[in-house]
Amino acid sequence: MNSPADPRAHERIAVIGAGLIGSAIAWRLTHEGHKVLLIDRAEPAHYGASFGNAGHVATEQREPLPSLGLLLTFWRQLAVCGGPVDIPLHRLLSLAPWMARFAAAALHQRRNTPALAALVRPAADALERALREIGHPELLVRHGHYKFWWGAGSAARAARAAGAAAEFEVRTEPAPAQLTQAIEARAPGRVSGLWFPDSAHVIDPQSVAAALVTAAVQAGARFEQCEVREIRGVGERLLVDSGDVQHRVRAVVVCAGVQAAPLLRPFGLRAPLTAERGYHLEFAGARALTDAPVVYAEHNLIVTPMQGRLRATSYLEFNRHGAPPDARKLQRLRSTLERLGYRSETHHAGWVGSRPTLPDYLPGIGRAPHAPLYYAIGHQHLGLTLSAPTAEVMAALIAGRDPPVATAPFDLGRFGRAAPLTGAPS
Ligand SMILES: Cc1cc2nc3c(=O)[nH]c(=O)nc-3n(C[C@H](O)[C@H](O)[C@H](O)COP(=O)(O)OP(=O)(O)OC[C@H]3O[C@@H](n4cnc5c(N)ncnc54)[C@H](O)[C@@H]3O)c2cc1C
């Protein structure tokens, strides 16, 4: 059952999914002395959302998205009105239950905010700690980020944003005049900006995951490339089945991004994840305006300086995971970037990836009721940001320690129970 090369596999904890969440958890568990088997169908952070994100450690994003205000005004954000949100008509029916939950979550935004904020607030420190432990502090840049608004009302909008940030104890300062002028010179108009000094960015999200996995493997973890078809209970242990290979392990942590739900369902766990797809374009060799991400508020995009290139990301497209990219969106993004002064000698075809999003925009972090089956999923727009804090919480849950933040709000039980399938431990 276990491969003969790994006779102690039954002592291992299997982590399924080597995106940023699984990689951070694999490192943290290994660092704490656990034997870890990390499994992904591809190289770390190659297949999922972790590959192509904006690299922004968004410690300022402390409120879950669903709000009463958004319910009333979301139509203005729709692609048909020039906004970043696209809900394809053919998806409306299948998305209806998710949207109903989204609307219900809007009523609980005040209750849910402290739970998310507790996880987000220490995120840059936690990621810096993890990257120092593995000897790669250079992957994180702690210069904050900038946000700019255009037009006659831009100063008022920036002031309102600073006030809203202060309510959540997020520090802001006016953007430096030199940078504001540089932005205005490239895309004329009246511009006002803010600096968020306590956020951060990484110079390549995939390198972060790869470095965490390499460190874990050097410390004794195993990485195996295969697709997990099923997890089932065998006595006190769990069996991770990929068809060709089965691993009997003492616990499993499911970090399978937008594809986690079928692996959790046999354990009675309901994970109403949707793919909230985002796109990126890259500009090889382009010089950054500043060594920090720049958010263009009205253009709904963020440009992040990354190793040897700039990466621009945008859109919230509620399409099926795996659907072909929408070439019109990439074209629109390219044109907007050109208007903002970003040009490239080389052509980048673009990338699309699925943010794994639960309808209340809280992650799912916890344990199945009757099995050593843990989960860390649904990190929506914040999976890079929350990678290290989630790993610290997961390590505490597995060790039976009090986690650094309360995990009850992240328990998947909030979505009710799925009917267990056969093979799950009772
Ligand atoms: C355009 C865009 C911009 C973003 N910008 C930011 C940002 O600036 N800051 C931020 O914090 N977050 C950002 N995010 C969100 C962030 O990227 C995600 O929340 C995060 O990557 C989710 O990580 P994950 O490990 O949960 O999932 P993924 O990265 O999707 O990884 C899941 C892994 O599980 C594997 N897997 C799934 N099922 C199986 C199976 N059955 N067997 C084997 N392997 C399996 C997949 O191959 C994959 O590698 C952005 C996302 C997008 C799309």
PDB file of all heavy atoms in Angstrom, residues 20 32 35 124 130 142 158 175 185 200-201 210 218 224 251 263-264 271 293 302 305 311 331 340 350 388 390 418 424:
ATOM      1  N   LEU A  20       0.235  27.938  -2.456  1.00  0.00           N
ATOM      2  CA  LEU A  20       0.860  28.682  -1.353  1.00  0.00           C
ATOM      3  C   LEU A  20       0.387  28.180   0.011  1.00  0.00           C
ATOM      4  O   LEU A  20       1.164  28.140   0.962  1.00  0.00           O
ATOM      5  CB  LEU A  20       0.559  30.183  -1.510  1.00  0.00           C
ATOM      6  CG  LEU A  20       1.449  30.849  -2.559  1.00  0.00           C
ATOM      7  CD1 LEU A  20       0.816  32.125  -3.089  1.00  0.00           C
ATOM      8  CD2 LEU A  20       2.846  31.135  -1.988  1.00  0.00           C
ATOM      9  N   GLU A  32       8.019  21.782  12.687  1.00  0.00           N
ATOM     10  CA  GLU A  32       7.613  21.399  14.049  1.00  0.00           C
ATOM     11  C   GLU A  32       7.866  19.917  14.318  1.00  0.00           C
ATOM     12  O   GLU A  32       7.439  19.386  15.335  1.00  0.00           O
ATOM     13  CB  GLU A  32       6.137  21.736  14.265  1.00  0.00           C
ATOM     14  CG  GLU A  32       5.911  23.233  14.300  1.00  0.00           C
ATOM     15  CD  GLU A  32       4.640  23.645  15.029  1.00  0.00           C
ATOM     16  OE1 GLU A  32       3.918  22.771  15.550  1.00  0.00           O
ATOM     17  OE2 GLU A  32       4.391  24.862  15.055  1.00  0.00           O
ATOM     18  N   LYS A  35       6.304  14.323  10.259  1.00  0.00           N
ATOM     19  CA  LYS A  35       6.675  13.724   8.977  1.00  0.00           C
ATOM     20  C   LYS A  35       5.575  14.095   7.987  1.00  0.00           C
ATOM     21  O   LYS A  35       4.402  13.840   8.258  1.00  0.00           O
ATOM     22  CB  LYS A  35       6.756  12.205   9.110  1.00  0.00           C
ATOM     23  CG  LYS A  35       7.827  11.774  10.080  1.00  0.00           C
ATOM     24  CD  LYS A  35       8.133  10.310   9.956  1.00  0.00           C
ATOM     25  CE  LYS A  35       9.394   9.971  10.723  1.00  0.00           C
ATOM     26  NZ  LYS A  35      10.535  10.833  10.377  1.00  0.00           N
ATOM     27  N   ALA A 124       2.020  39.907   7.235  1.00  0.00           N
ATOM     28  CA  ALA A 124       3.346  40.220   6.678  1.00  0.00           C
ATOM     29  C   ALA A 124       4.438  39.748   7.641  1.00  0.00           C
ATOM     30  O   ALA A 124       5.465  39.203   7.210  1.00  0.00           O
ATOM     31  CB  ALA A 124       3.463  41.713   6.399  1.00  0.00           C
ATOM     32  N   ALA A 130       8.467  33.105   8.279  1.00  0.00           N
ATOM     33  CA  ALA A 130       8.616  31.828   7.558  1.00  0.00           C
ATOM     34  C   ALA A 130       9.759  31.916   6.543  1.00  0.00           C
ATOM     35  O   ALA A 130      10.575  30.995   6.418  1.00  0.00           O
ATOM     36  CB  ALA A 130       7.308  31.458   6.866  1.00  0.00           C
ATOM     37  N   ARG A 142       9.131  44.723   1.997  1.00  0.00           N
ATOM     38  CA  ARG A 142       8.192  45.385   2.920  1.00  0.00           C
ATOM     39  C   ARG A 142       8.192  46.893   2.709  1.00  0.00           C
ATOM     40  O   ARG A 142       8.557  47.659   3.594  1.00  0.00           O
ATOM     41  CB  ARG A 142       8.518  44.985   4.356  1.00  0.00           C
ATOM     42  CG  ARG A 142       8.355  43.494   4.565  1.00  0.00           C
ATOM     43  CD  ARG A 142       8.209  43.096   5.988  1.00  0.00           C
ATOM     44  NE  ARG A 142       6.984  43.603   6.587  1.00  0.00           N
ATOM     45  CZ  ARG A 142       6.539  43.240   7.774  1.00  0.00           C
ATOM     46  NH1 ARG A 142       7.211  42.373   8.493  1.00  0.00           N
ATOM     47  NH2 ARG A 142       5.417  43.747   8.270  1.00  0.00           N
ATOM     48  N   ALA A 158      -9.607  59.672  -1.983  1.00  0.00           N
ATOM     49  CA  ALA A 158      -8.434  59.227  -1.219  1.00  0.00           C
ATOM     50  C   ALA A 158      -8.650  59.508   0.276  1.00  0.00           C
ATOM     51  O   ALA A 158      -8.320  58.664   1.126  1.00  0.00           O
ATOM     52  CB  ALA A 158      -7.178  59.945  -1.721  1.00  0.00           C
ATOM     53  N   ALA A 175       0.472  59.684  -0.705  1.00  0.00           N
ATOM     54  CA  ALA A 175       1.549  59.178  -1.582  1.00  0.00           C
ATOM     55  C   ALA A 175       2.556  60.299  -1.822  1.00  0.00           C
ATOM     56  O   ALA A 175       2.158  61.470  -1.914  1.00  0.00           O
ATOM     57  CB  ALA A 175       0.944  58.711  -2.896  1.00  0.00           C
ATOM     58  N   ALA A 185       2.237  62.092 -15.101  1.00  0.00           N
ATOM     59  CA  ALA A 185       2.962  62.336 -16.359  1.00  0.00           C
ATOM     60  C   ALA A 185       2.651  61.240 -17.378  1.00  0.00           C
ATOM     61  O   ALA A 185       2.619  61.490 -18.582  1.00  0.00           O
ATOM     62  CB  ALA A 185       4.462  62.393 -16.080  1.00  0.00           C
ATOM     63  N   ALA A 200       2.873  44.581   1.984  1.00  0.00           N
ATOM     64  CA  ALA A 200       4.166  44.113   1.454  1.00  0.00           C
ATOM     65  C   ALA A 200       3.913  43.443   0.111  1.00  0.00           C
ATOM     66  O   ALA A 200       2.768  43.359  -0.343  1.00  0.00           O
ATOM     67  CB  ALA A 200       4.783  43.124   2.438  1.00  0.00           C
ATOM     68  N   HIS A 201       4.974  43.006  -0.544  1.00  0.00           N
ATOM     69  CA  HIS A 201       4.761  42.177  -1.741  1.00  0.00           C
ATOM     70  C   HIS A 201       5.887  41.163  -1.872  1.00  0.00           C
ATOM     71  O   HIS A 201       6.940  41.302  -1.224  1.00  0.00           O
ATOM     72  CB  HIS A 201       4.625  43.031  -3.001  1.00  0.00           C
ATOM     73  CG  HIS A 201       5.901  43.605  -3.546  1.00  0.00           C
ATOM     74  ND1 HIS A 201       6.513  44.719  -3.046  1.00  0.00           N
ATOM     75  CD2 HIS A 201       6.681  43.201  -4.587  1.00  0.00           C
ATOM     76  CE1 HIS A 201       7.606  44.995  -3.735  1.00  0.00           C
ATOM     77  NE2 HIS A 201       7.733  44.085  -4.683  1.00  0.00           N
ATOM     78  N   ALA A 210       7.843  27.392  -3.973  1.00  0.00           N
ATOM     79  CA  ALA A 210       8.936  26.455  -4.275  1.00  0.00           C
ATOM     80  C   ALA A 210       9.976  26.459  -3.158  1.00  0.00           C
ATOM     81  O   ALA A 210      10.478  25.398  -2.755  1.00  0.00           O
ATOM     82  CB  ALA A 210       9.585  26.825  -5.608  1.00  0.00           C
ATOM     83  N   GLN A 218      14.107  19.347   2.319  1.00  0.00           N
ATOM     84  CA  GLN A 218      15.451  19.239   2.910  1.00  0.00           C
ATOM     85  C   GLN A 218      15.367  18.852   4.394  1.00  0.00           C
ATOM     86  O   GLN A 218      16.265  18.224   4.936  1.00  0.00           O
ATOM     87  CB  GLN A 218      16.212  20.553   2.754  1.00  0.00           C
ATOM     88  CG  GLN A 218      16.780  20.699   1.346  1.00  0.00           C
ATOM     89  CD  GLN A 218      17.265  22.097   1.031  1.00  0.00           C
ATOM     90  OE1 GLN A 218      17.125  23.012   1.843  1.00  0.00           O
ATOM     91  NE2 GLN A 218      17.831  22.275  -0.148  1.00  0.00           N
ATOM     92  N   GLU A 224       5.329  14.379  -3.593  1.00  0.00           N
ATOM     93  CA  GLU A 224       4.966  13.398  -4.613  1.00  0.00           C
ATOM     94  C   GLU A 224       4.005  14.040  -5.610  1.00  0.00           C
ATOM     95  O   GLU A 224       3.064  14.729  -5.217  1.00  0.00           O
ATOM     96  CB  GLU A 224       4.285  12.208  -3.938  1.00  0.00           C
ATOM     97  CG  GLU A 224       4.079  11.073  -4.891  1.00  0.00           C
ATOM     98  CD  GLU A 224       3.827   9.772  -4.152  1.00  0.00           C
ATOM     99  OE1 GLU A 224       4.623   9.414  -3.263  1.00  0.00           O
ATOM    100  OE2 GLU A 224       2.802   9.136  -4.475  1.00  0.00           O
ATOM    101  N   ALA A 251      -2.828  11.509   9.249  1.00  0.00           N
ATOM    102  CA  ALA A 251      -3.740  12.654   9.117  1.00  0.00           C
ATOM    103  C   ALA A 251      -3.588  13.222   7.716  1.00  0.00           C
ATOM    104  O   ALA A 251      -2.578  12.984   7.049  1.00  0.00           O
ATOM    105  CB  ALA A 251      -3.425  13.719  10.158  1.00  0.00           C
ATOM    106  N   LEU A 263     -12.993  16.202  -2.291  1.00  0.00           N
ATOM    107  CA  LEU A 263     -12.151  15.452  -1.358  1.00  0.00           C
ATOM    108  C   LEU A 263     -12.717  15.537   0.065  1.00  0.00           C
ATOM    109  O   LEU A 263     -12.477  14.647   0.897  1.00  0.00           O
ATOM    110  CB  LEU A 263     -10.713  16.000  -1.372  1.00  0.00           C
ATOM    111  CG  LEU A 263      -9.980  15.880  -2.714  1.00  0.00           C
ATOM    112  CD1 LEU A 263      -8.614  16.556  -2.649  1.00  0.00           C
ATOM    113  CD2 LEU A 263      -9.813  14.409  -3.121  1.00  0.00           C
ATOM    114  N   LEU A 264     -13.471  16.581   0.348  1.00  0.00           N
ATOM    115  CA  LEU A 264     -13.979  16.803   1.705  1.00  0.00           C
ATOM    116  C   LEU A 264     -15.362  16.178   1.919  1.00  0.00           C
ATOM    117  O   LEU A 264     -15.726  15.815   3.031  1.00  0.00           O
ATOM    118  CB  LEU A 264     -14.057  18.307   1.983  1.00  0.00           C
ATOM    119  CG  LEU A 264     -12.713  19.052   1.951  1.00  0.00           C
ATOM    120  CD1 LEU A 264     -12.923  20.556   2.053  1.00  0.00           C
ATOM    121  CD2 LEU A 264     -11.814  18.578   3.090  1.00  0.00           C
ATOM    122  N   ALA A 271     -18.255  22.334   1.212  1.00  0.00           N
ATOM    123  CA  ALA A 271     -17.390  23.484   0.886  1.00  0.00           C
ATOM    124  C   ALA A 271     -17.922  24.136  -0.387  1.00  0.00           C
ATOM    125  O   ALA A 271     -17.523  23.765  -1.495  1.00  0.00           O
ATOM    126  CB  ALA A 271     -15.948  23.029   0.700  1.00  0.00           C
ATOM    127  N   PRO A 293       3.782  47.510  -4.981  1.00  0.00           N
ATOM    128  CA  PRO A 293       2.616  47.428  -5.864  1.00  0.00           C
ATOM    129  C   PRO A 293       1.902  48.776  -5.972  1.00  0.00           C
ATOM    130  O   PRO A 293       1.858  49.543  -5.002  1.00  0.00           O
ATOM    131  CB  PRO A 293       1.713  46.397  -5.176  1.00  0.00           C
ATOM    132  CG  PRO A 293       2.625  45.620  -4.283  1.00  0.00           C
ATOM    133  CD  PRO A 293       3.682  46.584  -3.837  1.00  0.00           C
ATOM    134  N   ILE A 302      -3.935  46.159 -10.417  1.00  0.00           N
ATOM    135  CA  ILE A 302      -2.757  46.344  -9.568  1.00  0.00           C
ATOM    136  C   ILE A 302      -1.528  45.952 -10.391  1.00  0.00           C
ATOM    137  O   ILE A 302      -1.567  44.947 -11.119  1.00  0.00           O
ATOM    138  CB  ILE A 302      -2.880  45.525  -8.257  1.00  0.00           C
ATOM    139  CG1 ILE A 302      -1.602  45.612  -7.411  1.00  0.00           C
ATOM    140  CG2 ILE A 302      -3.227  44.083  -8.497  1.00  0.00           C
ATOM    141  CD1 ILE A 302      -1.769  45.050  -5.985  1.00  0.00           C
ATOM    142  N   PRO A 305       5.810  45.043  -8.990  1.00  0.00           N
ATOM    143  CA  PRO A 305       7.156  44.736  -9.489  1.00  0.00           C
ATOM    144  C   PRO A 305       7.547  43.325  -9.061  1.00  0.00           C
ATOM    145  O   PRO A 305       7.470  42.988  -7.882  1.00  0.00           O
ATOM    146  CB  PRO A 305       8.047  45.770  -8.788  1.00  0.00           C
ATOM    147  CG  PRO A 305       7.225  46.414  -7.735  1.00  0.00           C
ATOM    148  CD  PRO A 305       5.811  45.977  -7.874  1.00  0.00           C
ATOM    149  N   ARG A 311       4.014  42.662 -13.193  1.00  0.00           N
ATOM    150  CA  ARG A 311       2.810  41.843 -13.394  1.00  0.00           C
ATOM    151  C   ARG A 311       1.582  42.695 -13.078  1.00  0.00           C
ATOM    152  O   ARG A 311       1.499  43.288 -12.007  1.00  0.00           O
ATOM    153  CB  ARG A 311       2.839  40.620 -12.482  1.00  0.00           C
ATOM    154  CG  ARG A 311       1.586  39.776 -12.572  1.00  0.00           C
ATOM    155  CD  ARG A 311       1.663  38.567 -11.674  1.00  0.00           C
ATOM    156  NE  ARG A 311       2.580  37.561 -12.195  1.00  0.00           N
ATOM    157  CZ  ARG A 311       2.861  36.420 -11.554  1.00  0.00           C
ATOM    158  NH1 ARG A 311       2.300  36.156 -10.392  1.00  0.00           N
ATOM    159  NH2 ARG A 311       3.698  35.551 -12.085  1.00  0.00           N
ATOM    160  N   GLN A 331      -7.319  41.602 -23.756  1.00  0.00           N
ATOM    161  CA  GLN A 331      -7.135  42.740 -24.661  1.00  0.00           C
ATOM    162  C   GLN A 331      -7.487  44.054 -23.978  1.00  0.00           C
ATOM    163  O   GLN A 331      -6.776  45.051 -24.083  1.00  0.00           O
ATOM    164  CB  GLN A 331      -7.985  42.527 -25.934  1.00  0.00           C
ATOM    165  CG  GLN A 331      -7.726  43.544 -27.037  1.00  0.00           C
ATOM    166  CD  GLN A 331      -6.229  43.788 -27.288  1.00  0.00           C
ATOM    167  OE1 GLN A 331      -5.448  42.842 -27.409  1.00  0.00           O
ATOM    168  NE2 GLN A 331      -5.819  45.061 -27.307  1.00  0.00           N
ATOM    169  N   LEU A 340      -2.189  53.717 -19.304  1.00  0.00           N
ATOM    170  CA  LEU A 340      -1.515  54.109 -18.051  1.00  0.00           C
ATOM    171  C   LEU A 340       0.011  54.182 -18.222  1.00  0.00           C
ATOM    172  O   LEU A 340       0.737  54.370 -17.256  1.00  0.00           O
ATOM    173  CB  LEU A 340      -1.866  53.107 -16.939  1.00  0.00           C
ATOM    174  CG  LEU A 340      -3.334  53.137 -16.487  1.00  0.00           C
ATOM    175  CD1 LEU A 340      -3.652  51.958 -15.577  1.00  0.00           C
ATOM    176  CD2 LEU A 340      -3.649  54.447 -15.770  1.00  0.00           C
ATOM    177  N   GLY A 350      -0.706  36.186 -21.461  1.00  0.00           N
ATOM    178  CA  GLY A 350      -1.680  36.342 -20.394  1.00  0.00           C
ATOM    179  C   GLY A 350      -1.934  35.037 -19.666  1.00  0.00           C
ATOM    180  O   GLY A 350      -1.613  33.949 -20.160  1.00  0.00           O
ATOM    181  N   ALA A 388       1.096  32.128   5.526  1.00  0.00           N
ATOM    182  CA  ALA A 388       1.857  31.840   6.755  1.00  0.00           C
ATOM    183  C   ALA A 388       0.959  31.839   7.995  1.00  0.00           C
ATOM    184  O   ALA A 388       1.080  30.931   8.832  1.00  0.00           O
ATOM    185  CB  ALA A 388       3.011  32.837   6.893  1.00  0.00           C
ATOM    186  N   THR A 390      -2.161  31.006   8.158  1.00  0.00           N
ATOM    187  CA  THR A 390      -2.954  29.769   8.116  1.00  0.00           C
ATOM    188  C   THR A 390      -2.097  28.578   8.546  1.00  0.00           C
ATOM    189  O   THR A 390      -2.553  27.687   9.260  1.00  0.00           O
ATOM    190  CB  THR A 390      -3.496  29.535   6.682  1.00  0.00           C
ATOM    191  OG1 THR A 390      -4.331  30.632   6.339  1.00  0.00           O
ATOM    192  CG2 THR A 390      -4.291  28.250   6.580  1.00  0.00           C
ATOM    193  N   ALA A 418     -22.587  17.877   4.590  1.00  0.00           N
ATOM    194  CA  ALA A 418     -22.844  17.148   3.341  1.00  0.00           C
ATOM    195  C   ALA A 418     -23.175  15.714   3.715  1.00  0.00           C
ATOM    196  O   ALA A 418     -22.688  15.215   4.730  1.00  0.00           O
ATOM    197  CB  ALA A 418     -21.610  17.186   2.457  1.00  0.00           C
ATOM    198  N   ALA A 424     -16.166   6.793   4.393  1.00  0.00           N
ATOM    199  CA  ALA A 424     -15.707   7.770   5.376  1.00  0.00           C
ATOM    200  C   ALA A 424     -15.832   7.173   6.766  1.00  0.00           C
ATOM    201  O   ALA A 424     -16.753   6.416   7.030  1.00  0.00           O
ATOM    202  CB  ALA A 424     -16.541   9.030   5.287  1.00  0.00           C
TER     203      ALA A 424
END
